Amino acid sequence: MLTPTQAANVIAERLTALPSESCPLETSSGRVLRENLFADRDVPPFDRVAMDGIAISYAEYVAGRRTYRHAGIVAAGARPCALPTIDSCLEVMTGAVLPPGTDAVIPVEDIQLNADSAVVLDSAKVSAYGNVHRQGSDIIRGATVLNAGAVLRGPERAIAVSIGAPSLQVSREPRITIISTGDELVAPNVQPLAWQIRRSNTYAIETTLQQHGYNHLALGHLRDDLTEVRDGIAQALHESDVLILSGGVSAGRFDYVPAALKELGVECVFHKVAQRPGKPIWFGVRKDGKTVFALPGNPVSTLICLVRYVLPALNQMRGAKSETPCAAPLSHGLENRHNLTLFMPVDRLQTGAQQGMLKAHATHGSGDFVALAGTVGFIELAPNQHYEAASLLTLYTW
Ligand code: AMP
Ligand code: MG
């Protein structure tokens, strides 16, 4: 049986990259860039005033001048305006072009501003190009500002917008269908009979995917009937790039998912991983690149498998630069006495000397999704391994 790391590697080898497409700048938020972007101008594009104050000639200051004739005001967005005489100053606003003839800005706090003059206070610290953001000091025109694989979060989107490209080459978003299976499951708005439960997995998966920027999601449910499962999966494969199933993947008499997938030509890459919970996880691909994750139905198993395997896979399919999850220290020692990798839900301590540390969160097993409320995610404990308090562990967040 594969270990979780082996399973993740096998998945990575079998994924098909999504095609790229052109996307208008206006709707590019959260998309993955598939081209390098270059600066169309220097950044900043001109010597830019970085504080509200006065602009002066530094040489004149060094020569001893402290009182300057007030020669005008230069606002941000105003055309450049040159210093008329060496004994004068121009009042300048943050974002304005540094007036030609000046090479220092003294902040408004360090001057006394009169009707027609400005006096520099003794406490002022004046330097050549002080409080000036020099042209090209951040980036030179033509330099790379973003590489393919960047996810357009706030900072990256600001950069993409700043170079003025009307559209960007980005990954096409994956179309994902999420399907639960099980005769015992009813829709959330249905009053369950005594032997039924309300289904929650598709909603948990939907939210997690939405939080990671996936918006082309379709939800469905299938009863434990081979024909219904096969036809439902066939339809979903037709309409989507990625299929995420929950339930019906174990060894029960009515677990029809593996058989249906086989009938539909989806190759089983692996079935079962040496882990707890979520051992019966099934992963497969079809020749046309359709990718299927069939997750065990227990709600905790489903979510853990989604975060551990499906999210990184989707990230790779979008061509996003892979990101190692962050690591955090344990608040207490932990022991995994099993021969399987153990995924353990954790809290992140919010206060006290152990603030930021991870603490195991007790659950009643893989069906106990209520216990997950408020947890930050889970950690992965290797088989038969002891972990001291303060050990650093990878944190998979929900
Ligand atoms: P299965 O993987 O189909 O054998 O299901 C394992 C357990 O998870 C069973 O107790 C199911 O009732 C439960 N389960 C499966 N799917 C869901 C779901 N969508 N919501 C809540 N519980 C589920
Ligand atoms: Mg079932």
Side-chain angles (χ1 to χ4, degrees):
M1 219 185 309
L2 299 174
T3 66
T5 303
Q6 287 169 336
N9 290 339
V10 167
I11 292 169
E13 283 164 17
R14 299 301 303 267
L15 299 174
T16 304
L18 290 156
S20 66
E21 65 182 15
S22 174
C23 170
L25 197 60
E26 290 75 12
T27 54
S28 62
S29 180
R31 304 297 292 273
V32 179
L33 203 59
R34 291 287 280 271
E35 61 176 335
N36 296 332
L37 298 185
F38 306 96
D40 68 329
R41 326 160 68 188
D42 290 344
V43 182
F46 47 82
D47 284 339
R48 181 165 62 192
V49 172
M51 292 283 263
D52 300 324
I54 56 168
I56 57 155
S57 154
Y58 182 60
E60 187 67 6
Y61 177 85
V62 171
R65 178 174 297 282
R66 295 295 180 271
T67 302
Y68 296 84
R69 187 171 64 79
H70 192 298
I73 300 175
V74 188
R79 276 176 199 285
C81 163
L83 192 69
T85 55
I86 197 83
D87 62 344
S88 63
C89 68
L90 282 161
E91 198 179 335
V92 288
M93 306 299 142
T94 302
V97 177
L98 184 72
T102 72
D103 54 4
V105 170
I106 308 174
V108 73
E109 297 81 13
D110 292 340
I111 56 174
Q112 185 197 310
L113 209 51
N114 305 318
D116 47 15
S117 71
V119 180
V120 182
L121 304 180
D122 289 343
S123 56
K125 287 192 178 62
V126 184
S127 60
Y129 290 100
N131 304 308
V132 177
H133 195 176
R134 296 302 304 273
Q135 175 171 350
S137 60
D138 293 347
I139 210 113
I140 298 287
R141 181 184 163 186
T144 308
V145 287
L146 280 180
N147 284 303
V151 181
L152 298 175
R153 309 169 307 168
E156 291 79 11
R157 187 120 187 273
I159 296 165
V161 168
S162 74
I163 65 163
S167 64
L168 302 169
Q169 275 302 117
V170 298
S171 290
R172 176 162 73 59
E173 294 202 74
R175 296 161 302 174
I176 305 170
T177 301
I178 309 162
I179 297 181
S180 55
T181 66
D183 282 353
E184 75 281 29
L185 303 169
V186 298
N189 57 351
V190 170
Q191 183 60 41
L193 301 171
W195 51 90
Q196 296 177 322
I197 59 166
R198 296 190 184 94
R199 56 182 183 253
S200 57
N201 287 352
T202 43
Y203 305 97
I205 295 171
E206 178 187 42
T207 298
T208 306
L209 293 177
Q210 285 170 340
Q211 282 175 335
H212 286 82
Y214 299 101
N215 299 304
H216 288 267
L217 308 176
L219 270 58
H221 179 74
L222 300 169
R223 290 184 307 127
D224 290 322
D225 171 272
L226 180 58
T227 309
E228 181 168 331
V229 169
R230 187 188 52 218
D231 293 351
I233 293 179
Q235 178 73 17
L237 282 169
H238 179 67
E239 291 165 357
S240 43
D241 306 298
V242 177
L243 182 52
I244 304 173
L245 291 147
S246 96
V249 79
S250 307
R253 193 179 284 278
F254 307 110
D255 288 337
Y256 291 122
V257 167
L261 286 163
K262 190 175 174 200
E263 274 191 47
L264 294 166
V266 184
E267 176 200 345
C268 173
V269 176
F270 64 74
H271 189 183
K272 292 195 175 69
V273 173
Q275 65 178 48
R276 189 166 150 176
K279 186 170 152 198
I281 180 176
W282 190 105
F283 168 72
V285 289
R286 207 165 65 172
K287 279 206 172 64
D288 56 5
K290 307 275 173 161
T291 303
V292 181
F293 296 89
L295 313 180
N298 263 315
V300 180
S301 314
T302 298
L303 267 181
I304 285 176
C305 289
L306 181 77
V307 172
R308 180 67 178 85
Y309 303 110
V310 185
L311 289 180
L314 292 172
N315 213 39
Q316 181 183 327
M317 291 176 78
R318 297 197 302 166
K321 219 172 75 197
S322 71
E323 247 180 54
T324 319
C326 65
L330 292 178
S331 64
H332 299 78
L334 282 178
E335 183 105 39
N336 176 10
R337 292 200 190 89
H338 302 277
N339 284 324
L340 304 169
T341 295
L342 201 61
F343 292 121
M344 183 166 292
V346 288
D347 296 312
R348 186 156 43 195
L349 300 176
Q350 297 298 316
T351 53
Q354 294 186 315
Q355 185 180 0
M357 290 190 168
L358 304 177
K359 184 162 185 269
H361 187 104
T363 74
H364 296 112
S366 57
D368 183 11
F369 62 98
V370 177
L372 298 186
T375 57
V376 62
F378 59 91
I379 52 176
E380 186 172 319
L381 304 178
N384 306 304
Q385 181 98 16
H386 174 79
Y387 296 87
E388 304 281 343
S391 304
L392 275 184
L393 268 95
T394 298
L395 170 64
Y396 296 90
T397 55
W398 296 130

